[in-house]
């Protein structure tokens, strides 16, 4: 049995709700991977998806044992979802933890991961070189001279966007005189800051 057999069997057993959840899950995963900043955790969607996956795993374990390839395949899916935002958290952990609104976007496991990651980084820096500096120079979040040491996501990063519906109102890119109208199915390359709300509202998706 290969991966195509597993996928076709899984599709054949899914309900309309599960199919819809799968499409939403894939869209959320691709958007999270493509966006330059952490996005809200899809709590209700993830609860349903993980409940379905856990139920399927329990059935497989009861019938064939945990060494069955189906079980391993579904465990890989769970692991992939849990890894969804590690890259962004690793890169911007301090910024996220210092911004209350961003902490609310994380799941409990992601928040714990961010705290643990930042704690390990700070301990490593202090043991290797920061401990040798004067106390006033040991901060990782210093803002002396009006310049913050905390790296923030680049919200002006260019992203690839597919329109999911027509948007009649012109979309303008801040700082430029460029504007465009979005038509369903069209693909654009544009700054994340210009289309962020459209993606969060479900009017467009990142690809």
């Amino acid at each position: 049995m290969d991966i195509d057999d597993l996928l076709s069997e899984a599709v054949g057993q899914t309900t309309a709700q599960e199919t819809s959840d799968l499409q939403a899950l894939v869209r959320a995963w691709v958007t999270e991977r493509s966006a330059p900043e952490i996005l809200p955790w899809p709590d209700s969607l993830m609860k349903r998806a993980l409940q379905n996956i856990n139920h399927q795993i329990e059935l497989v374990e009861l019938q064939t044992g945990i060494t069955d390839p189906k079980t391993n395949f579904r465990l890989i899916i769970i692991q992939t979802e849990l890894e969804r935002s590690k890259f962004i958290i690793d890169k911007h952990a301090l910024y996220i933890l210092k911004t209350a609104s961003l902490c609310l976007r994380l799941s409990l496991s992601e928040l714990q991961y961010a705290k643990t990651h930042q704690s390990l980084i700070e301990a490593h820096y202090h043991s290797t070189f920061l401990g040798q500096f004067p106390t006033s120079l040991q901060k990782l979040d210093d803002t002396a001279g009006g310049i913050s040491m905390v790296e923030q996501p680049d919200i002006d990063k260019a992203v690839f966007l597919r329109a999911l519906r027509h948007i009649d109102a012109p979309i303008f890119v801040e700082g430029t005189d460029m504007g465009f109208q979005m038509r369903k199915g069209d693909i654009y390359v544009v700054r994340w800051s210009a289309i962020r709300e459209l993606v969060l509202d479900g009017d467009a998706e990142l690809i």
Side-chain angles (χ1 to χ4, degrees), residues 9 13 53-72 74:
E9 181 178 327
Q13 295 176 349
I53 291 172
N54 288 334
H55 177 64
Q56 291 170 351
I57 290 175
E58 289 174 0
L59 290 178
V60 171
E61 289 178 347
L62 287 174
Q63 295 174 7
T64 62
I66 61 173
T67 59
D68 187 275
K70 296 180 185 179
T71 304
N72 294 331
R74 292 185 176 94

Side-chain angles (χ1 to χ4, degrees), residues 14-27 45 48 52:
T14 56
T15 64
Q17 177 66 61
E18 290 171 340
T19 300
S20 176
D21 284 348
L22 177 60
Q23 294 172 342
L25 188 61
V26 171
R27 181 170 294 163
L45 170 63
R48 291 196 305 273
N52 289 334

